[in-house]
Amino acid sequence: MALPRLLRVLPRALPALARALHRAVPGVPDFNSFVTRTNTCGELRSAHVGQEVTLYGWVQYQRQGLFLILRDFQGLTQIVIPQDEAHSHVKKLLSSAPVESVVRVTGIVSPRPPGQENPKMPTGDIEVKAETAEILNSSKKLPFELKDFVKKSEALRMQYRYLDLRSFPLQHNLRLRSQVVMRMREFLCNLHGFVDVETPTLFKRTPGGAKEFLVPSREAGKFYSLPQSPQQFKQLLMVGGLDRYFQVARCYRDEGSRPDRQPEFTQIDIEMSFVDQAGIQRLIEGLLQYSWPEERGSITAPFPSMTYEEALADYGTDKPDTRFGMKRYLKKKDLQSLKESAKSQFNQEIVEIICRPDGSLKSLLTKFLGEKQQSELIQVLNMQVDDVVLLAAGEHKQVCSALGSLRLGSADLLEAAGLVLRDPAAFHFLWVVDFPLFLPKEENSTELESAHHPFTAPHPSDAHLLYSDPTKVRSQHYDLVLNGCEVGGGSIRIHSAELQRFVLEKVLKEDSEVLSHLLQALEFGAPPHGGIALGLDRLISLIVDAPSIRDVIAFPKSFRGRDLMGNAPDYVTPEELEPYHIQVSWPLEEKEAKQN
Amino acid sequence: MALPRLLRVLPRALPALARALHRAVPGVPDFNSFVTRTNTCGELRSAHVGQEVTLYGWVQYQRQGLFLILRDFQGLTQIVIPQDEAHSHVKKLLSSAPVESVVRVTGIVSPRPPGQENPKMPTGDIEVKAETAEILNSSKKLPFELKDFVKKSEALRMQYRYLDLRSFPLQHNLRLRSQVVMRMREFLCNLHGFVDVETPTLFKRTPGGAKEFLVPSREAGKFYSLPQSPQQFKQLLMVGGLDRYFQVARCYRDEGSRPDRQPEFTQIDIEMSFVDQAGIQRLIEGLLQYSWPEERGSITAPFPSMTYEEALADYGTDKPDTRFGMKRYLKKKDLQSLKESAKSQFNQEIVEIICRPDGSLKSLLTKFLGEKQQSELIQVLNMQVDDVVLLAAGEHKQVCSALGSLRLGSADLLEAAGLVLRDPAAFHFLWVVDFPLFLPKEENSTELESAHHPFTAPHPSDAHLLYSDPTKVRSQHYDLVLNGCEVGGGSIRIHSAELQRFVLEKVLKEDSEVLSHLLQALEFGAPPHGGIALGLDRLISLIVDAPSIRDVIAFPKSFRGRDLMGNAPDYVTPEELEPYHIQVSWPLEEKEAKQN
């Protein structure tokens, strides 16, 4: 009994000692520095028994005036409410504190009585016998119970986002996001000499920047715009000799109401001088391996690579989900709905071929095929008994797209029937390369537009075709695909002013005046350079297997770009618009409604 | 000679080996990963002699076809242009490359001939004998010589910012900024468990947010606004149980044309739950000590602290420069101009008292003072021979401000005369505390406004005065001052909904409806919390002793908020405004000029 008594004599020195010891543990942050708590609610174990501790947290629930479960971001701790007369004040406080009130408790860590340990709870071996307590903020009755929150409508959850943030999944997602980004920064900044440079978000419209938000300035008629990416700035930083740049960059895109897009989003934005495509790919593989959260296993590099042509031919998409094979063959029924969706979505007829138990083929096609051709077909497709093959004929890209869509549709059907094809804990990264540099414009196929952006360099082997047949030129663009989602994209850029001007003026027929600063910069010793941007919101949502990117953003906007908690955007007065020399053009009906 | 020959046999293996060795050095980034260069232009030393190296850089200058100085972000290396017939192609390339062209050089590191070492150059012991070379991008003649750049007008430098970025000071400032921020992140995230959370920049107007940029949305008449800080969001994160938040946050403020302000700027934004004023102060002291760049010495903590009243009384300002004393006494002439500026700026009469060599006083005042009073004055002010004291009488705050301004004016005069009072390498941090919570409104002194913002908590000792005499209430706001500049400010916040509503509605007479989401959040178990924001641009500019914050920002705006390189803001077409339901209200004269 001597030691515990000694410990009790020095209760004030202990937290500092514990903290000093704690600090010696590398890689474990000290959550109790600068505050008067000694521990978080997830920390206490049998080793702490006998210590006086001070905890701060929220009342998770309270049982019959005997126990109270205190919660913070790290976990739950059982508090024993004292029942003796001397502590009647503490008892009264703690037994009457409403759920979700904020409480300070100071008490002694004690072992739970034998048989009452809770092995499911990390702190389940101990409880804290409260000696003093304070209600720091009493909570009103919540609009719903916190544990029912996930069952509520998303609109309600977004309105009370500050309550939703207390839930385990959101705490976990935001903390994991912070840690992954921190590891990325360590890799880039500390290990590889990248410079974190902030670039402006108040800039000007880029050509064709129809999706850029405008910001009125105090100069009449002049507007800033919020850029979709720091593309121009990062290239100019390379011209400025920064050599290696990165930024966790806020970007803006006004897409009206496209689902699961946010008007503001974040990308890991990277640019390097004197680098080639393989250099950027190795960098990103290293970056992702280094920052990959331990709880999600590990990933192996190099990632496989596939050309755009291969991806389209084999998977019918430029972002193949390579977690499952099924390159256009099926192993079950549900053919009718697949054929109907091909018809309705792609106007594409589909013919199926089924391999019967006896190994023969069943299909509309068999009457056109000789026995030799049939057995060749079985061999080429490696058909097994019960396999189903879907065939389509038509223009290459359209057929591929239709079959690619059927492949995903088939996976949906098979998973609905209980098969796991797309394991959310499996991470299949894939580089897709050799994209075309230009595509025919949708509205006028005799004109060309950039497949990605006009700064992308042509593939060296195709550069000569630029002047004769630009549609045949492949680019040095690369996409990074994870489980069928595009999580990044980049390219080696054009560093020759002459070539850049040719692409803008002769191929794309654009007015290069608006990019004159960039063209000029390329004339004054621009180094060869390239880069990439990773979509952070999407990447993190895949890592934590969240259904939406809204689940990895603290305060996301709704589908329609609204903040449902603070009610943004909102009306402003005409006086507030005056300094910006703008006025609202009310659509007629709204105008009338307002006048009434 | 055996070893060098062996080294030459394995030139391809060496860079990888060197890199592997390099990686073992903790804390030194590998600048040569992912690219084909073996070294930067600042790296080579005598120890590298005999190695084959590949460098990439810019032609700094070239001498008589014999030498070329290659430059990158790390330094300069002398390249020897080969003169023998076998290398005539290399000679031709290198001797004709224009200044600022981008060049790859591969060659052998050699000692400089005895007597030709350059001790001023870190690579001055060696030179690289070029074996192969390539001009990667030839440069046009620059609009000015790079070394003359700092002498040019700032407008020209901003127009060609990508060239200015190649200069040593800007490279240094941006790299130091990146490193300081990285160290801050390590301290907050890795050592103390802060979570880096990104908050929206498209939000809605805050009450009185006249300085907030507007962003028209696609809903007619509705606007987002770009917030001046993440204040509301960080408080809501505390309500959401995040416990410890930080963000390197982009903020926006439309101040028209105030000098040395940027429409977008960056703050280190911090918020903690369960913390008091002292906790935040220790956190910030630890943060600054940890991230302070070695080249600027070290700083000691805790920082001294001073109340707002003391600062005003002793220094005539709430941001005293404590690098020099001179609390209102002077030691030289130039009195006339000081008195004139007090008259013109503050409408304040000044009386001087000069201590003559014989110890007697010379002043208009002496005729009103007896001998005893004069000697008491000498004693109280600790006057020495030749000292000058400036006296002023009037309303306390105005007199203090006038004298505070004269103190700085005197320092200017003394420094112009050769004295160093304000050493830019001395860093005097100071906490200023106990600010008033409310101030009389300038336009109507019977009404009150928040001295900082309406979320600031009252000082516990003054809380009772809130209901009787709010003008007497001190706040829990604190400013961090460095060398006379405010580099940070924060407060403990109000966490009681009732108190917050009282302050908004009863004291400030504001419509609390627009903050209803925050008031509601405080009702559902908001923890006590507080925080701070450091102005990163200003802090870094003081650390590197830059005359303007524009010198620590990659792409700053001009005084008038313009981007002189890309020409932003710019005109947009009426069609581009259509989706946003706005039109320009042209001031009449512009309208007419446009019509002509």
Side-chain angles (χ1 to χ4, degrees):
Chain A
M1 289 302 283
L3 191 59
R5 213 173 306 149
L6 179 67
L7 286 173
R8 294 291 299 285
V9 173
L10 296 166
R12 299 223 152 253
L14 271 180
L17 180 66
R19 202 133 68 219
L21 287 171
H22 181 100
R23 273 192 192 149
V25 183
V28 180
D30 179 1
F31 290 108
N32 305 313
S33 44
F34 314 115
V35 291
T36 50
R37 77 176 161 223
T38 58
N39 296 86
T40 66
C41 295
E43 259 182 312
L44 297 174
R45 302 288 185 274
S46 295
H48 297 88
V49 163
Q51 287 186 16
E52 183 179 88
V53 296
T54 297
L55 306 181
Y56 288 78
W58 283 259
V59 176
Q60 178 88 350
Y61 61 86
Q62 191 257 101
R63 225 163 43 212
Q64 299 162 330
L66 297 172
F67 296 102
L68 182 149
I69 301 293
L70 202 62
R71 186 198 70 234
D72 70 8
F73 63 97
Q74 276 232 315
L76 303 168
T77 298
Q78 178 161 300
I79 308 293
V80 183
I81 302 176
Q83 304 294 321
D84 57 318
E85 190 56 38
H87 290 91
S88 61
H89 177 66
V90 177
K91 177 175 182 180
K92 196 177 157 202
L93 268 183
L94 292 182
S95 19
S96 63
V99 165
E100 291 304 313
S101 294
V102 185
V103 175
R104 177 190 62 75
V105 173
T106 298
I108 307 295
V109 184
S110 312
R112 292 204 189 179
Q116 294 189 25
E117 300 90 350
N118 183 348
K120 287 188 196 151
M121 205 171 161
T123 63
D125 286 338
I126 59 92
E127 54 194 12
V128 172
K129 301 204 155 148
E131 301 228 314
T132 66
E134 189 183 352
I135 310 295
L136 298 164
N137 210 354
S138 189
S139 178
K140 248 180 48 174
K141 192 168 167 11
L142 300 198
F144 34 74
E145 282 203 53
L146 225 55
K147 64 180 160 55
D148 294 334
F149 215 77
V150 288
K151 301 176 205 152
K152 299 288 171 180
S153 79
E154 196 178 11
L156 189 72
R157 292 173 57 194
M158 286 176 74
Q159 186 189 340
Y160 294 99
R161 188 66 171 181
Y162 45 87
L163 295 178
D164 207 11
L165 286 172
R166 291 184 194 163
S167 69
F168 173 78
L170 277 182
Q171 287 275 332
H172 174 261
N173 293 354
L174 293 180
R175 284 166 194 277
L176 180 133
R177 178 181 177 135
S178 169
Q179 281 156 16
V180 168
V181 172
M182 188 65 201
R183 295 280 289 172
M184 288 180 169
R185 292 177 179 280
E186 287 169 9
F187 181 85
L188 292 167
C189 210
N190 295 352
L191 299 189
H192 295 286
F194 281 75
V195 189
D196 180 3
V197 182
E198 298 176 65
T199 58
T201 56
L202 293 173
F203 198 50
K204 72 164 177 184
R205 285 230 142 175
T206 45
K211 291 171 179 169
E212 288 173 4
F213 285 102
L214 290 172
V215 181
S217 80
R218 286 175 189 248
E219 289 185 74
K222 288 194 175 181
F223 294 79
Y224 298 104
S225 91
L226 300 174
Q228 292 189 47
S229 87
Q231 183 64 34
Q232 290 186 45
F233 292 110
K234 66 178 178 172
Q235 293 193 237
L236 290 164
L237 286 173
M238 294 305 105
V239 179
L242 258 288
D243 198 69
R244 300 178 162 213
Y245 144 91
F246 86 102
Q247 184 182 194
V248 181
R250 190 68 60 89
C251 303
Y252 300 85
R253 198 185 292 143
D254 180 16
E255 297 194 293
S257 56
R258 265 185 73 179
D260 214 14
R261 290 289 180 109
Q262 290 284 318
E264 50 186 320
F265 58 97
T266 303
Q267 64 189 37
I268 309 290
D269 199 48
I270 290 174
E271 198 79 8
M272 284 176 86
S273 294
F274 311 117
V275 73
D276 60 12
Q277 182 161 325
I280 296 283
Q281 290 178 344
R282 297 303 86 79
L283 164 73
I284 293 301
E285 289 159 359
L287 174 76
L288 287 168
Q289 281 192 306
Y290 186 87
S291 59
W292 200 255
E294 227 174 283
E295 63 176 76
R296 305 304 277 166
S298 63
I299 51 176
T300 51
F303 303 153
S305 185
M306 185 182 287
T307 67
Y308 169 79
E309 277 305 327
E310 288 165 354
L312 189 66
D314 282 358
Y315 294 90
T317 174
D318 59 1
K319 31 182 185 289
D321 188 341
T322 53
R323 280 176 299 179
F324 62 106
M326 213 167 65
K327 302 182 184 178
R328 294 197 235 139
Y329 48 91
L330 265 179
K331 298 204 176 199
K332 290 279 172 213
K333 310 283 162 53
D334 300 302
L335 281 173
Q336 201 49 41
S337 75
L338 289 174
K339 288 165 78 175
E340 277 166 15
S341 85
K343 185 73 193 163
S344 65
Q345 286 178 49
F346 295 91
N347 193 26
Q348 180 71 53
E349 297 292 345
I350 299 289
V351 178
E352 77 270 25
I353 313 174
I354 297 172
C355 189
R356 292 203 190 87
D358 64 0
S360 68
L361 298 185
K362 177 188 168 194
S363 172
L364 280 177
L365 283 184
T366 47
K367 56 184 163 192
F368 306 109
L369 299 171
E371 202 161 303
K372 184 149 173 277
Q373 286 169 309
Q374 289 197 23
S375 77
E376 274 175 9
L377 194 64
I378 290 173
Q379 218 174 349
V380 163
L381 297 173
N382 187 26
M383 282 187 86
Q384 314 284 332
V385 167
D386 279 344
D387 276 4
V388 177
V389 171
L390 301 185
L391 278 193
E395 189 272 320
H396 181 66
K397 196 174 168 184
Q398 187 193 319
V399 165
C400 290
S401 300
L403 289 173
S405 162
L406 289 189
R407 176 175 171 267
L408 295 179
S410 309
D412 288 343
L413 291 167
L414 293 174
E415 287 185 342
L419 249 80
V420 177
L421 286 179
R422 294 168 293 195
D423 177 4
F427 296 98
H428 284 236
F429 281 100
L430 174 75
W431 291 109
V432 180
V433 300
D434 292 356
F435 282 82
L437 186 53
F438 305 108
L439 292 173
K441 277 190 187 172
E442 267 189 31
E443 61 276 23
N444 176 358
S445 63
T446 64
E447 290 176 16
L448 293 179
E449 61 186 5
S450 296
H452 293 94
H453 58 57
F455 316 117
T456 311
H459 198 292
S461 346
D462 297 352
H464 60 286
L465 293 169
L466 202 56
Y467 308 94
S468 53
D469 193 353
T471 60
K472 291 245 163 40
V473 179
R474 289 166 302 164
S475 73
Q476 293 193 64
H477 178 94
Y478 28 84
D479 268 353
L480 180 62
V481 174
L482 170 57
N483 294 354
C485 295
E486 184 195 322
V487 291
S491 59
I492 302 303
R493 328 294 183 185
I494 295 172
H495 66 273
S496 146
E498 200 189 349
L499 179 59
Q500 184 68 74
R501 190 167 276 124
F502 180 84
V503 165
L504 284 171
E505 293 173 0
K506 304 298 179 201
V507 183
L508 301 172
K509 323 271 189 214
E510 272 186 28
D511 177 11
S512 64
E513 180 53 33
V514 72
L515 287 170
S516 59
H517 55 286
L518 191 71
L519 285 165
Q520 205 167 27
L522 295 182
E523 288 176 335
F524 296 122
H529 61 287
I532 193 165
L534 303 181
L536 183 64
D537 308 297
R538 171 63 60 214
L539 178 65
I540 300 290
S541 75
L542 289 169
I543 291 176
V544 301
D545 189 27
S548 157
I549 61 169
R550 292 186 298 282
D551 296 323
V552 299
I553 296 173
F555 299 100
K557 300 279 192 298
S558 75
F559 275 144
R560 304 202 47 188
R562 289 198 187 124
D563 181 307
L564 301 179
M565 179 187 68
N567 188 30
D570 204 359
Y571 295 108
V572 302
T573 64
E575 292 72 39
E576 290 177 291
L577 297 180
E578 224 166 78
Y580 299 109
H581 309 284
I582 54 169
Q583 51 182 301
V584 176
S585 327
W586 293 103
L588 201 58
E589 53 277 35
E590 280 208 45
K591 207 171 192 168
E592 282 167 359
K594 279 232 145 192
Q595 280 166 348
N596 299 338
Chain B
M1 290 301 285
L3 191 59
R5 212 173 308 148
L6 179 67
L7 287 173
R8 292 293 300 285
V9 173
L10 296 166
R12 298 221 153 255
L14 271 181
L17 180 65
R19 200 135 66 220
L21 286 173
H22 179 98
R23 275 192 190 149
V25 183
V28 180
D30 180 2
F31 290 110
N32 304 313
S33 45
F34 313 114
V35 290
T36 51
R37 78 174 160 225
T38 58
N39 296 86
T40 65
C41 296
E43 257 182 313
L44 298 174
R45 301 288 185 276
S46 295
H48 297 87
V49 163
Q51 288 186 15
E52 183 179 88
V53 296
T54 297
L55 307 181
Y56 288 78
W58 283 259
V59 176
Q60 178 87 348
Y61 60 85
Q62 191 258 102
R63 223 162 47 209
Q64 299 162 328
L66 296 172
F67 297 102
L68 181 150
I69 300 294
L70 202 62
R71 187 199 70 235
D72 70 9
F73 63 97
Q74 277 232 315
L76 303 167
T77 298
Q78 177 160 300
I79 308 294
V80 183
I81 302 177
Q83 304 294 321
D84 56 316
E85 191 55 39
H87 290 90
S88 62
H89 176 66
V90 177
K91 177 174 181 176
K92 197 177 156 201
L93 268 183
L94 293 182
S95 13
S96 62
V99 165
E100 290 304 313
S101 295
V102 185
V103 175
R104 177 190 61 75
V105 173
T106 298
I108 308 295
V109 183
S110 312
R112 291 205 191 179
Q116 294 189 24
E117 299 91 349
N118 183 348
K120 288 188 196 153
M121 206 172 161
T123 64
D125 286 338
I126 58 93
E127 55 193 12
V128 172
K129 300 204 156 155
E131 301 228 314
T132 66
E134 190 183 351
I135 308 295
L136 298 165
N137 211 355
S138 190
S139 178
K140 249 181 44 175
K141 194 168 167 4
L142 301 198
F144 35 75
E145 283 203 52
L146 225 53
K147 64 181 160 59
D148 294 334
F149 214 75
V150 287
K151 301 175 206 157
K152 299 288 172 183
S153 79
E154 195 178 11
L156 190 72
R157 291 173 58 195
M158 285 177 75
Q159 186 189 340
Y160 293 99
R161 188 68 173 180
Y162 44 87
L163 296 179
D164 208 11
L165 286 171
R166 291 183 195 165
S167 70
F168 173 78
L170 277 182
Q171 287 274 332
H172 174 261
N173 294 355
L174 293 180
R175 285 167 193 278
L176 181 135
R177 178 181 177 134
S178 168
Q179 282 156 15
V180 168
V181 173
M182 187 64 201
R183 294 279 289 171
M184 288 181 169
R185 293 178 177 280
E186 287 169 12
F187 181 85
L188 292 167
C189 208
N190 295 352
L191 299 189
H192 294 287
F194 282 75
V195 189
D196 180 3
V197 182
E198 299 176 66
T199 58
T201 56
L202 293 173
F203 197 49
K204 72 164 177 181
R205 286 229 143 177
T206 45
K211 291 170 179 171
E212 289 174 3
F213 286 103
L214 291 172
V215 182
S217 80
R218 286 175 191 249
E219 290 185 74
K222 288 194 175 182
F223 293 79
Y224 298 104
S225 92
L226 300 175
Q228 292 188 48
S229 87
Q231 184 64 34
Q232 289 187 45
F233 291 111
K234 67 178 179 172
Q235 293 194 236
L236 290 164
L237 286 173
M238 294 305 104
V239 179
L242 257 288
D243 198 68
R244 301 179 161 212
Y245 144 91
F246 86 101
Q247 184 182 193
V248 181
R250 189 70 58 90
C251 303
Y252 300 86
R253 198 185 293 143
D254 180 16
E255 298 193 291
S257 57
R258 265 186 72 178
D260 213 13
R261 290 288 182 110
Q262 291 284 318
E264 49 186 319
F265 58 97
T266 304
Q267 64 189 36
I268 308 292
D269 198 49
I270 290 174
E271 197 80 7
M272 284 177 86
S273 294
F274 311 118
V275 74
D276 61 11
Q277 184 161 323
I280 296 283
Q281 290 178 344
R282 298 302 88 78
L283 164 73
I284 294 301
E285 289 160 358
L287 175 76
L288 287 168
Q289 282 193 306
Y290 185 86
S291 59
W292 200 254
E294 226 173 283
E295 62 177 77
R296 306 303 277 166
S298 63
I299 52 176
T300 51
F303 304 154
S305 185
M306 187 182 287
T307 68
Y308 170 77
E309 278 304 328
E310 288 165 352
L312 189 66
D314 283 357
Y315 294 90
T317 175
D318 59 1
K319 31 183 185 287
D321 188 342
T322 53
R323 281 175 299 179
F324 62 107
M326 213 167 66
K327 302 182 183 176
R328 294 196 234 140
Y329 48 92
L330 265 179
K331 298 203 180 201
K332 290 278 172 211
K333 312 280 163 54
D334 299 303
L335 281 174
Q336 202 50 40
S337 74
L338 289 173
K339 289 165 76 176
E340 276 165 16
S341 83
K343 185 71 192 163
S344 64
Q345 286 179 47
F346 295 91
N347 193 26
Q348 180 70 53
E349 298 293 344
I350 298 290
V351 177
E352 78 270 25
I353 312 174
I354 298 172
C355 188
R356 291 203 191 88
D358 65 0
S360 68
L361 298 184
K362 178 190 166 191
S363 172
L364 280 176
L365 283 182
T366 47
K367 56 184 163 193
F368 306 110
L369 300 172
E371 203 160 302
K372 183 150 174 276
Q373 285 168 310
Q374 291 197 23
S375 77
E376 274 174 10
L377 195 64
I378 290 175
Q379 220 174 346
V380 164
L381 296 172
N382 188 24
M383 283 186 85
Q384 313 285 330
V385 167
D386 280 345
D387 276 5
V388 177
V389 171
L390 302 185
L391 279 193
E395 190 272 317
H396 181 68
K397 195 174 169 185
Q398 188 193 318
V399 164
C400 290
S401 300
L403 289 173
S405 161
L406 290 190
R407 176 176 172 266
L408 295 178
S410 309
D412 289 343
L413 290 167
L414 292 174
E415 288 185 340
L419 250 81
V420 177
L421 287 179
R422 293 169 292 194
D423 176 4
F427 297 98
H428 284 237
F429 282 101
L430 174 75
W431 290 109
V432 180
V433 300
D434 292 356
F435 282 81
L437 185 54
F438 306 108
L439 293 173
K441 277 190 186 170
E442 267 189 33
E443 60 277 23
N444 176 358
S445 63
T446 64
E447 291 176 15
L448 292 179
E449 61 186 6
S450 296
H452 294 94
H453 58 56
F455 316 118
T456 311
H459 197 292
S461 346
D462 298 352
H464 61 286
L465 293 168
L466 202 57
Y467 308 92
S468 52
D469 193 351
T471 59
K472 290 245 165 36
V473 179
R474 289 166 302 162
S475 72
Q476 294 193 64
H477 178 95
Y478 28 85
D479 267 354
L480 181 61
V481 174
L482 169 57
N483 294 355
C485 295
E486 183 194 321
V487 292
S491 59
I492 303 301
R493 328 294 184 186
I494 295 172
H495 66 273
S496 146
E498 199 189 348
L499 179 58
Q500 184 67 76
R501 191 167 275 125
F502 179 83
V503 165
L504 285 170
E505 293 174 0
K506 304 299 179 199
V507 183
L508 301 172
K509 322 272 188 214
E510 273 186 27
D511 176 12
S512 65
E513 178 53 33
V514 72
L515 287 171
S516 58
H517 55 286
L518 191 71
L519 285 165
Q520 204 165 29
L522 295 182
E523 288 176 334
F524 296 122
H529 61 287
I532 194 166
L534 303 181
L536 183 63
D537 307 297
R538 171 63 61 214
L539 178 65
I540 301 289
S541 76
L542 289 169
I543 291 177
V544 302
D545 189 27
S548 158
I549 60 169
R550 292 186 298 282
D551 296 322
V552 299
I553 296 173
F555 299 100
K557 301 281 193 296
S558 75
F559 275 143
R560 304 201 47 187
R562 290 200 185 121
D563 181 307
L564 301 178
M565 179 188 66
N567 188 30
D570 204 359
Y571 294 108
V572 302
T573 64
E575 292 72 41
E576 291 177 290
L577 297 180
E578 224 167 78
Y580 299 109
H581 310 283
I582 54 169
Q583 50 183 302
V584 176
S585 327
W586 293 103
L588 200 60
E589 52 278 29
E590 279 209 45
K591 207 171 192 168
E592 280 168 0
K594 279 232 144 190
Q595 280 165 349
N596 298 337

